[in-house]
Amino acid sequence: MFVIFGASGKAGGVTAAILRKAGQSVRAVVRNTRQAEPLAAIGCETVTADLTDPGSVRAAIEGAHTVQVLCPVPTGVPDPESAMRKMIDVAADALCAAPPAHVLAISDYGAQLEAGTGITLLFHYLETRLAPLAGRLTLLRSAEHMQNWARVIPVALQNGAFPSLHQPLSKVFPTVSAHDVGSIAAELLLDAAQRSNQPRIVSVEGPRRVTVLDVARALSDVAGKNVKAFELPRGEWATAMRAAGLTESHARLITELHDAHNAGKIDIEAGMTERRFGTTTLPEVIASLLSAHGHAQAV
């Protein structure tokens, strides 16, 4: 039995679908019954679980041979850091108490760093808490998801410009499609290679690294409208994020992350990881995001 947490998400849903296509038994863990319907339609067993509730997490992994863990950064809560640490603690306690044969945790580029990385520091905590699983553990460190640019599309289409915290705009950084993360996760879950007594660390990014200028160019080409990016002054970041509805705590985590990104710290752990590359390009993801936004693509 393969248990997939976050199975209704962009990455987890792909993992679950590939496993089912391969003929595997899949238990899809979701937050509510509405999210379960499309997963049940492809033959998954579905269960609902509260990631902060030890009992429901233990029940979700009962009888599992393999578990994929995804702890999302909570939104709409006053202190997302504390909330995510609680989810990590609940998951780690359950998995370490009754270890499955294989656990794959979706982590983050830069998770090897011990301080000063904001949101990414929470994935360092995830890796640390799961470390006792040793050779049973695969850490899939993902570059920034291309789908995150969906947040700027309404502003970009309305104003012909969007603000960037990635600075300078010409800075090259790794990204990846969430679809490719889910696909490569499935490959790793199905990999029956002999394991060592150490965690397996795999880094995944897209076919090529990009700049914010590439994002603006892709938006312009696909939307048929000239779109430019501009550097949001560092002193205005907190105000802009608060205006977008983020709490002060959440804004701080994002600020610390982008400070680390802009300093070149968020990257693979050189010499310490396997590397995988997705095939989905940035323009392809931008096109799908614009379609989801209801914007007709340029012919």
Side-chain angles (χ1 to χ4, degrees):
M1 171 67 74
F2 289 77
V3 174
I4 308 299
F5 283 85
S8 63
K10 295 180 178 67
V14 170
T15 304
I18 291 174
L19 292 175
R20 285 295 303 134
K21 189 173 182 180
Q24 301 297 329
S25 298
V26 176
R27 180 182 297 151
V29 184
V30 295
R31 287 174 295 183
N32 56 63
T33 53
R34 178 181 55 80
Q35 295 174 328
E37 293 175 5
L39 293 159
I42 63 171
C44 294
E45 174 191 346
T46 62
V47 298
T48 58
D50 177 354
L51 296 184
T52 65
D53 176 60
S56 66
V57 171
R58 286 195 300 269
I61 67 172
E62 185 176 0
H65 175 272
T66 301
V67 176
Q68 178 168 303
V69 178
L70 172 64
C71 289
V73 180
T75 58
V77 297
D79 187 356
E81 179 175 0
S82 295
M84 185 169 169
R85 284 179 180 268
K86 182 175 182 180
M87 286 192 293
I88 290 169
D89 286 337
V90 168
D93 287 346
L95 291 167
C96 290
H102 186 196
V103 174
L104 183 145
I106 296 181
S107 186
D108 205 16
Y109 269 35
Q112 71 274 12
L113 302 175
E114 298 180 354
T117 59
I119 288 172
T120 295
L121 188 60
L122 297 173
F123 290 95
H124 176 77
Y125 183 67
L126 171 67
E127 293 190 5
T128 300
R129 288 288 282 110
L130 293 177
L133 294 171
R136 299 172 184 261
L137 176 63
T138 296
L139 299 171
L140 180 57
R141 291 179 180 165
S142 167
E144 178 179 331
H145 288 190
M146 296 176 188
Q147 282 77 5
N148 290 350
W149 291 101
R151 302 164 186 163
V152 306
I153 284 178
V155 173
L157 295 180
Q158 181 176 347
N159 301 330
F162 64 88
S164 174
L165 306 188
H166 280 287
Q167 300 174 6
L169 301 180
S170 59
K171 174 176 67 71
V172 178
F173 58 94
T175 64
V176 67
S177 168
H179 180 281
D180 288 342
V181 175
S183 177
I184 289 170
E187 291 178 14
L188 294 171
L189 290 174
L190 291 168
D191 185 356
Q194 183 69 35
R195 303 189 184 282
S196 71
N197 60 357
Q198 296 294 324
R200 181 181 186 183
I201 304 176
V202 182
S203 297
V204 57
E205 60 184 83
R208 74 177 186 88
R209 296 190 170 197
V210 304
T211 69
V212 177
L213 297 175
D214 292 325
V215 176
R217 188 177 302 113
L219 274 168
S220 299
D221 291 346
V222 177
K225 175 179 181 178
N226 188 32
V227 175
K228 295 185 178 297
F230 64 92
E231 295 181 10
L232 185 67
R234 174 67 171 72
E236 297 178 14
W237 290 7
T239 300
M241 286 187 278
R242 292 299 301 276
L246 298 184
T247 64
E248 182 177 349
S249 175
H250 202 162
R252 175 183 55 77
L253 292 173
I254 293 175
T255 295
E256 290 178 358
L257 171 60
H258 279 86
D259 281 343
H261 245 305
N262 295 340
K265 297 178 180 178
I266 304 299
D267 211 322
I268 62 170
E269 187 176 9
M272 295 297 292
T273 74
E274 301 174 38
R275 299 191 68 184
R276 300 291 181 96
F277 296 88
T279 59
T280 309
T281 66
L282 176 65
E284 288 172 334
V285 171
I286 293 296
S288 68
L289 294 176
L290 284 170
S291 178
H293 188 70
H295 190 279
Q297 298 179 29
V299 178

